[in-house]
Amino acid sequence: MYAIPTAFVSAMFVVFGLYVVITQGVTRLSAPFLLMCAATFAWQGTWTLLFQTKDAQIAGLLVRVGYLFILFLPTTFYHFVTEVAARRRERPLLLASYGLCFVLAVLLPGNEVVAGYRHYFFGYYPIAGPLHPLHVVQTVLLAARSGQLLLGARKSAGGQARRRLDLCLAALGLYSFAAVDYAVNYGYPFYPPGVLFIALSLGLLAITIVRYHLIHPYALAATIAHEIATPLATIGMHADEIASVWSHVFKGYRLAVTHGLYDDDEHSGQSERISQLATAIRREVSGTSAMVEMALASYTLDRLDRSRFSAHPVRQCVDSALERYPFRADERERITILPIDPMLRFSGSDTVVVFVLFNLLKNALHAIHVSGEGQITISALEDQNFCMLQFRDTGPGIAPDVLPHIFDAFFSTKRHGSGAGMGLAFCRRATELLGGSIECTSVRGAHTTFIVRLPLPGSAADRALSRSPVREARRR
């Protein structure tokens, strides 16, 4: 009778694992969850046999086999949380925890971790050895650290992302109750209920992964980006190949026209235009690729690895954005860059800042096209602890009733199909996650100015960001 719950839970974790594999595949996030399911399945399956056996020798073997999987379970949960919170800098601690698990696993055949077994009313159960408290302390520390990571990630999350993290926190709370089983290892005679808390915890995580799309936003964006990037790269290579041979083809074509071998009266304009197509195709491919990367970046902002933040020259980011932006007609000539100190740097991600500039360029050029005139001026200077990047256009300006809402997600004044209202929302999220801010001032019919502030390397804002796993988003 006492083996029924363990047998049921062991079978249930096969279902949990298959459910996630079939619906999500094996990803960085689902892999540690599958490890948790496998460890729990093996542990509970072993306990099912242990609670039924009458042979003391077999019981001695089963308590050690079962505990082999128990040793790894807290670390696999912590591994899962590091992926949920996108905390790559936790990797050394994670590897150290796995290393400790392997050390304790090697000692299992002796009596250091499990010192034999006792017989209770429900069956045999392992006795804690002298090193068993080390495993208990490891479990407590990993659970506490997991909670800290989830709470930190929750501070800067919003909407569905926060709800998903709330469910992960609830799963961690249920998981922590399973620690009551350790009391039985120290001689307290009650049926170990931890299996029920583990089952509820991992079941909740399985539902969160699949139903509440814990994996989907990043995986879907990455898949789409990959599928689009491959044909774009092919088109770009074909355009480069056309450009490399076209000069020779066109030279022969002009010789044929000159010597009267071909009459070009009807197609002279088209022939001249063909020479520009390869360059135009390459420009469109580069611009579209950049937009795809920016769309992917908007899904992965919360996964920024701050341990990789470094100092970057502002002027270099401005130049990179202008080089990669898919300008049309005379758009590039409308932009003036005021002198920027080449030593002026900010701390963060240069890729994210380039994408912020992309959005500002896109919005300013759209406004200028609507009004028919205007210029863009970009400048940067040091302002206390921040690098202040100023982006100003002399387009039509923004109406006073619209200005307070421009950073709201899905808010757009463009006609349907011209914009989703996510560009400036991306800029705000990006600058805040980098430890800075963005603000806008505008005078209707005169100008619009965006001011982006980014932490200087070694500044107070930079140090505060490096100490905090996730920076709390600023209030509106």
Side-chain angles (χ1 to χ4, degrees):
M1 181 181 80
Y2 296 110
I4 293 177
T6 56
F8 174 75
V9 170
S10 180
M12 185 168 61
F13 276 94
V14 174
V15 176
F16 283 164
L18 290 175
Y19 179 51
V20 170
V21 167
I22 292 172
T23 56
Q24 307 295 304
V26 179
T27 68
R28 292 181 66 98
L29 192 58
S30 65
F33 177 79
L34 296 177
L35 288 175
M36 285 190 285
C37 287
T40 306
F41 163 73
W43 159 38
Q44 291 301 304
T46 305
W47 262 210
T48 300
L49 299 175
L50 179 64
F51 291 170
Q52 293 184 92
T53 187
K54 304 297 183 183
D55 189 313
Q57 187 174 0
I58 294 177
L61 174 64
L62 291 176
V63 294
R64 286 171 171 78
V65 171
Y67 229 87
L68 173 65
F69 301 102
I70 292 175
L71 290 176
F72 285 90
L73 191 55
T75 304
T76 58
F77 196 105
Y78 170 61
H79 186 177
F80 176 82
V81 170
T82 62
E83 294 297 332
V84 171
R87 292 286 291 175
R88 301 289 183 268
R89 71 171 69 181
E90 295 288 311
R91 191 54 52 89
L93 182 57
L94 177 64
L95 293 176
S97 185
Y98 272 122
L100 177 59
C101 293
F102 279 110
V103 170
L104 295 177
V106 170
L107 297 174
L108 267 177
N111 291 322
E112 290 82 6
V113 181
V114 174
Y117 49 85
R118 287 192 182 93
H119 190 271
Y120 295 96
F121 63 91
F122 53 83
Y124 290 105
Y125 203 77
I127 299 173
L131 291 182
H132 188 272
L134 180 60
H135 169 63
V136 176
V137 171
Q138 178 191 24
T139 302
V140 172
L141 292 177
L142 291 178
R145 182 58 179 163
S146 297
Q148 185 180 10
L149 293 179
L150 290 173
L151 288 171
R154 186 181 181 276
K155 287 182 179 180
S156 65
Q160 289 189 356
R162 175 168 288 197
R163 286 193 289 273
R164 290 192 291 266
L165 290 169
D166 286 340
L167 290 172
C168 290
L169 281 166
L172 175 62
L174 289 170
Y175 173 84
S176 299
F177 281 116
V180 71
D181 284 7
Y182 289 136
V184 186
N185 295 124
Y186 290 90
Y188 292 91
F190 59 85
Y191 183 80
V195 58
L196 302 177
F197 296 113
I198 291 287
L200 291 173
S201 173
L202 300 196
L204 183 58
L205 288 180
I207 294 172
T208 305
I209 289 173
V210 179
R211 182 174 178 181
Y212 293 97
H213 310 299
L214 189 60
I215 295 175
H216 276 172
Y218 175 73
L220 179 60
T223 300
I224 292 174
H226 173 74
E227 295 300 326
I228 293 177
T230 301
L232 280 176
T234 303
I235 293 170
M237 287 189 294
H238 290 168
D240 292 340
E241 189 175 352
I242 291 172
S244 66
V245 302
W246 178 250
S247 61
H248 302 288
V249 174
F250 191 68
K251 183 178 180 180
Y253 164 78
R254 295 309 303 169
L255 286 172
V257 172
T258 301
H259 290 85
L261 300 176
Y262 181 73
D263 185 4
D264 191 35
D265 291 340
E266 296 182 3
H267 306 288
S268 59
Q270 293 181 9
S271 300
E272 295 291 342
R273 183 172 177 273
I274 289 175
S275 64
Q276 304 172 4
L277 285 179
T279 302
I281 292 172
R282 166 51 71 185
R283 184 179 65 248
E284 291 294 333
V285 167
S286 299
T288 304
S289 297
M291 292 302 176
V292 169
E293 291 176 17
M294 186 170 64
L296 178 60
S298 68
Y299 281 99
T300 58
L301 276 178
D302 292 331
R303 301 175 66 87
L304 279 176
D305 185 359
R306 294 191 175 91
S307 65
R308 297 186 179 182
F309 280 6
S310 58
H312 302 280
V314 178
R315 178 59 195 252
Q316 193 175 75
C317 288
V318 173
D319 290 342
S320 178
L322 295 180
E323 287 173 7
R324 298 181 61 189
Y325 191 86
F327 290 109
R328 300 176 185 276
D330 63 342
E331 288 181 340
R332 179 61 182 87
E333 287 70 30
R334 293 180 179 271
I335 300 172
T336 301
I337 305 175
L338 298 181
I340 298 175
D341 184 354
M343 299 304 295
L344 180 58
R345 298 168 180 264
F346 68 91
S347 178
S349 166
D350 55 344
T351 302
V352 172
V353 172
V354 167
F355 290 151
V356 169
L357 288 170
F358 260 50
N359 276 300
L360 297 180
L361 281 168
K362 182 180 179 182
N363 284 350
L365 290 171
H366 174 80
I368 288 173
H369 280 301
V370 169
S371 66
E373 60 181 357
Q375 297 291 322
I376 297 172
T377 304
I378 302 175
S379 62
L381 52 85
E382 182 177 332
D383 181 33
Q384 296 180 356
N385 286 326
F386 292 90
C387 165
M388 187 173 72
L389 181 63
Q390 184 169 286
F391 191 99
R392 179 186 179 96
D393 72 78
T394 55
I398 302 174
D401 60 324
V402 172
L403 189 59
H405 305 289
I406 61 171
F407 294 110
D408 294 347
F410 305 110
F411 179 84
S412 177
T413 58
K414 300 175 183 177
R415 62 180 177 83
H416 181 71
S418 297
M422 292 302 294
L424 291 178
F426 168 87
C427 291
R428 181 174 186 169
R429 286 182 60 221
T431 54
E432 290 180 343
L433 286 170
L434 291 176
S437 65
I438 183 171
E439 60 187 48
C440 177
T441 59
S442 184
V443 176
R444 190 65 168 165
H447 66 84
T448 298
T449 302
F450 285 91
I451 296 177
V452 177
R453 287 185 172 85
L454 301 168
L456 293 174
S459 65
D462 183 31
R463 292 194 300 272
L465 188 67
S466 63
R467 287 195 300 268
S468 174
V470 177
R471 182 179 184 271
E472 184 176 0
R474 299 188 178 192
R475 295 183 178 179
R476 293 183 182 179

